[in-house]
Amino acid sequence: MLKNIHPLIGPELLSALARMGHGDTLAVVDNNYPAYAAGVPVVRLDGVDVVTAVDAILTLLPIDDFEPEPVARMGVVGDPDAVPPVAREVGDVVERVEGRQVRVRVVERFDFYAEARRASVVVATGETRAYGCFLLTKGVIRL
C-alpha cells in the first residue's frame, strides 16, 4: 500500500506512468478497442469505465500545456462532428482536473489506431460505450 495513490492505479499502471516523459502519449480505450493489436504494453482496468479511469490517471499524470490539443478522441465514423456523451464527460474531467480549458482533437478511427501504436502504454478499460477511446499527452509538473 502507498499513501495518496488512487486505488485504481495498481503497480503496473503506476510503473508505466512513471516511465513516461513529457510529450509521451497514453491511450485510454473502451472495451471494444483492439488494445493488444497496438503492439505496445497494455494495462487492463476491467470493470472500470473510461471516465473513472481517466479521472484516476489524472491524479498523477499532468496534461501537456505546450501542445494546442493535448487530448485526442476517436471520431464517430461517418459523423466526425458528433460528440458522444462519453467524449464530453472525459473532456469535462480533464478540464476539471487541469483547472483550465483543454482542447480535444478528433481523430479518424484508423488514424487513431496508428497514433495508439506510438503510445507508451494502452489502458484497456471496461467502458461499454462506443467511441470511449482517448489519447492523453503527458505534460510537465511545475513546482
Side-chain angles (χ1 to χ4, degrees):
M1 290 296 296
L2 296 172
K3 293 168 74 173
N4 302 319
I5 302 291
H6 193 287
L8 290 179
I9 307 294
E12 190 177 7
L13 183 52
L14 183 61
S15 176
L17 294 173
R19 286 192 306 264
M20 291 176 66
H22 177 235
D24 284 345
T25 302
L26 175 74
V28 186
V29 299
D30 63 35
N31 68 355
N32 289 304
Y33 184 83
Y36 292 95
V40 300
V42 175
V43 175
R44 300 198 61 88
L45 289 181
D46 297 315
V48 177
D49 66 85
V50 74
V51 177
T52 302
V54 168
D55 197 28
I57 289 164
L58 293 183
T59 65
L60 300 172
L61 185 85
I63 295 295
D64 199 336
D65 60 0
F66 292 127
E67 290 292 322
E69 296 173 319
V71 175
R73 68 174 176 85
M74 184 184 289
V76 175
V77 174
D79 190 4
D81 294 328
V83 182
V86 67
R88 193 171 308 109
E89 292 170 31
V90 167
D92 290 346
V93 166
V94 171
E95 289 189 350
R96 176 182 49 78
V97 172
E98 284 292 302
R100 64 184 170 95
Q101 185 175 18
V102 177
R103 291 181 51 190
V104 177
R105 180 171 52 96
V106 178
V107 181
E108 184 274 332
R109 176 181 167 212
F110 292 107
D111 290 340
F112 186 96
Y113 293 164
E115 288 190 37
R117 284 192 289 275
R118 294 188 299 273
S120 296
V121 66
V122 173
V123 177
T125 71
E127 179 62 63
T128 58
R129 295 178 288 178
Y131 300 104
C133 298
F134 302 87
L135 300 169
L136 309 176
T137 303
K138 184 176 184 180
V140 298
I141 299 172
R142 291 183 174 77
L143 301 174

